[in-house]
């Protein structure tokens, strides 16, 4: 009997061990369940953001986060402009005149042509600095006389070589002068701007590049010197025998006094105007005639 029980026990032991092994080696079929969102630690989320999201650069103008050290502002150094009584600086034009115009008004247009870039620079500065209402009359007068003369020189060197400004078709009606947002002609500057300033001396300050013209000054006009220079040029022209022959009873004048006669009569007669500057006293009833105008270029 004992032998039978012992044999049954051994069989039962091996039977249970085999079942256990089979159970361990058999993988049960998994049931697919919806994935649950795993909530991570805040620090992990921040790390993911740093890795996966583009970096945003905050403009300097915006306020820095409070957790960061505030940006230190660089102090702005303001350089005060050099104080001057002039509303506009004509030093470039003065340089060119000193270099290419003689004391007698003879012009080296070939030299001007070589310095064309400097002339262009000056003309561009003129264009960007139109006279303002706040400018005084002297500043405006200097600006427009210099502009007229500088653009006339430009017209000549753009068409050089030539014997006379009149070789250019309608030179005074060419709309080639760019000042501010507008285009001007030489006639616009002379007749619609300068002559309306009611100063007849402007006719001895502007130059038509011809031998019979009043000489081109070899210095630029400024607010400080424009009155003195116009006085000097007017006196010089009226007493220059190449332009006018004056005696007490007979005068032979430049046609400038014929073409713009009314400009010289705003405060009296033409003779009265001439007597302000003439070294010879002219009688009011002096016989008057006019010279032939020489349009040949006033060049060296």
């Amino acid at each position: 009997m004992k032998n039978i029980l012992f044999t049954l026990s051994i069989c039962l032991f091996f039977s249970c061990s085999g079942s256990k092994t089979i159970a361990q080696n058999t993988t049960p079929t998994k049931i697919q369940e919806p994935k649950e969102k795993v909530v991570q630690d805040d620090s992990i989320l921040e790390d993911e953001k740093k890795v996966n999201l583009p970096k945003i650069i905050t403009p300097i103008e915006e306020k820095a986060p409070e957790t960061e050290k505030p940006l230190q502002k660089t102090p702005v150094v303001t350089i005060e402009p050099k104080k001057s009584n002039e509303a506009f600086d004509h030093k470039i034009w003065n340089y060119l005149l000193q270099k290419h115009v003689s004391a007698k008004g003879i012009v080296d247009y070939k030299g001007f042509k070589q310095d064309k870039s400097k002339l262009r620079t000056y003309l561009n500065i003129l264009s960007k600095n139109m006279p303002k209402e706040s400018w005084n009359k002297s500043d405006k007068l200097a600006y427009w006389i210099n502009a007229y003369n500088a653009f006339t020189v430009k017209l000549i060197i753009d068409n050089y070589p030539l014997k006379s400004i009149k070789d250019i078709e309608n030179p005074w009606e060419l709309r080639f002068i760019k000042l501010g947002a507008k285009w001007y002609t030489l006639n616009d500057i002379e007749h619609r701007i300068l002559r309306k300033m009611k100063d007849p001396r402007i006719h001895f300050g502007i130059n038509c590049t011809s031998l019979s013209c009043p000489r081109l000054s070899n210095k630029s006009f400024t607010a400080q010197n424009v009155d003195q220079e116009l006085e000097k040029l007017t006196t010089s022209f009226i007493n220059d025998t190449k332009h006018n022959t004056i005696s007490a009873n007979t005068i032979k004048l430049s046609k400038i006094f014929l073409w713009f006669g009314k400009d010289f009569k705003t405060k009296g007669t033409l003779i009265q105007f001439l007597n302000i500057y003439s070294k010879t006293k002219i009688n009011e009833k002096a016989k008057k005639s006019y010279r032939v105008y020489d349009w040949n270029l006033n060049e060296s």
Side-chain angles (χ1 to χ4, degrees):
M1 188 67 179
K2 288 181 180 179
N3 290 335
I4 294 173
L5 290 173
F6 177 75
T7 301
L8 289 172
S9 297
I10 291 174
C11 290
L12 180 62
F13 173 79
F14 282 105
S15 175
C16 290
S17 297
S19 298
K20 184 177 181 181
T21 301
I22 293 170
Q24 287 177 344
N25 293 333
T26 303
T27 303
T29 303
K30 293 184 179 180
I31 300 173
Q32 297 295 327
E33 297 180 356
K35 292 183 179 180
E36 294 182 0
K37 183 176 181 181
V38 179
V39 178
Q40 296 182 351
D41 184 80
D42 288 344
S43 61
I44 297 175
L45 287 174
E46 288 299 321
D47 289 339
E48 286 185 351
K49 289 180 182 178
K50 291 179 182 178
V51 173
N52 299 324
L53 298 178
K55 185 177 181 181
I56 300 175
I57 301 174
T58 304
I60 294 175
E61 292 78 14
E62 292 186 6
K63 185 178 179 181
E66 294 180 359
T67 56
E68 297 180 6
K69 186 177 180 180
L71 293 170
Q72 297 295 323
K73 291 185 178 180
T74 303
V76 178
V77 179
T78 303
I79 300 175
E80 292 292 336
K82 184 178 179 181
K83 292 184 179 180
S84 171
N85 292 327
E86 303 289 333
F88 185 86
D89 191 344
H90 299 277
K91 65 182 178 182
I92 299 177
W93 179 232
N94 189 72
Y95 165 81
L96 291 170
L97 290 171
Q98 291 278 300
K99 187 176 180 181
H100 301 302
V101 182
S102 74
K104 293 183 178 180
I106 302 301
V107 183
D108 177 12
Y109 289 106
K110 293 178 183 177
F112 261 116
K113 197 172 182 69
Q114 292 174 352
D115 269 334
K116 192 172 184 177
S117 61
K118 286 187 176 66
L119 177 60
R120 187 184 301 113
T121 296
Y122 175 67
L123 298 179
N124 288 338
I125 295 173
L126 282 176
S127 182
K128 295 176 182 178
N129 294 273
M130 291 283 288
K132 300 177 177 60
E133 288 298 324
S134 59
W135 289 21
N136 60 40
K137 183 179 179 180
S138 295
D139 274 307
K140 292 176 182 177
L141 202 56
Y143 177 95
W144 287 112
I145 295 175
N146 286 331
Y148 184 97
N149 290 338
F151 276 103
T152 302
V153 169
K154 179 186 185 302
L155 181 63
I156 295 298
I157 65 175
D158 284 349
N159 292 275
Y160 197 84
L162 70 170
K163 293 183 179 180
S164 168
I165 191 172
K166 297 189 80 174
D167 291 342
I168 303 168
E169 186 176 358
N170 298 321
W172 295 283
E173 289 295 339
L174 289 176
R175 199 162 295 280
F176 73 101
I177 301 170
K178 180 70 162 55
L179 294 171
K182 296 182 179 180
W183 290 88
Y184 296 79
T185 67
L186 289 172
N187 274 346
D188 287 333
I189 296 177
E190 181 178 8
H191 302 300
R192 299 172 183 86
I193 297 174
L194 283 170
R195 290 182 69 191
K196 288 185 176 181
M197 297 179 79
K198 305 298 183 182
D199 189 337
R201 299 175 303 169
I202 61 102
H203 294 292
F204 311 106
I206 58 177
N207 184 266
C208 67
T209 73
S210 303
L211 289 174
S212 283
C213 280
R215 68 179 175 88
L216 177 62
S217 177
N218 66 346
K219 66 171 66 174
S220 65
F221 291 96
T222 67
Q224 293 180 341
N225 75 14
V226 65
D227 184 70
Q228 179 182 352
E229 287 301 308
L230 286 178
E231 280 289 291
K232 185 190 300 183
L233 290 168
T234 302
T235 301
S236 174
F237 183 80
I238 288 175
N239 291 285
D240 189 339
T241 55
K242 295 194 301 293
H243 301 299
N244 305 285
T245 304
I246 296 176
S247 65
N249 297 310
T250 304
I251 54 176
K252 193 170 186 178
L253 304 175
S254 165
K255 283 189 176 179
I256 287 175
F257 296 106
L258 174 65
W259 296 330
F260 308 108
K262 67 178 184 179
D263 292 2
F264 303 106
K265 299 174 184 178
T266 56
K267 296 181 180 180
T269 65
L270 173 59
I271 299 297
Q272 288 173 330
F273 176 83
L274 292 171
N275 276 333
I276 296 173
Y277 302 97
S278 177
K279 295 177 181 179
T280 301
K281 185 72 174 179
I282 308 169
N283 293 329
E284 189 63 39
K285 294 183 179 181
K287 186 178 179 180
K288 185 167 63 251
S289 61
Y290 297 95
R291 287 180 175 272
V292 174
Y293 210 84
D294 187 349
W295 287 102
N296 284 313
L297 211 61
N298 57 346
E299 68 176 335
S300 54

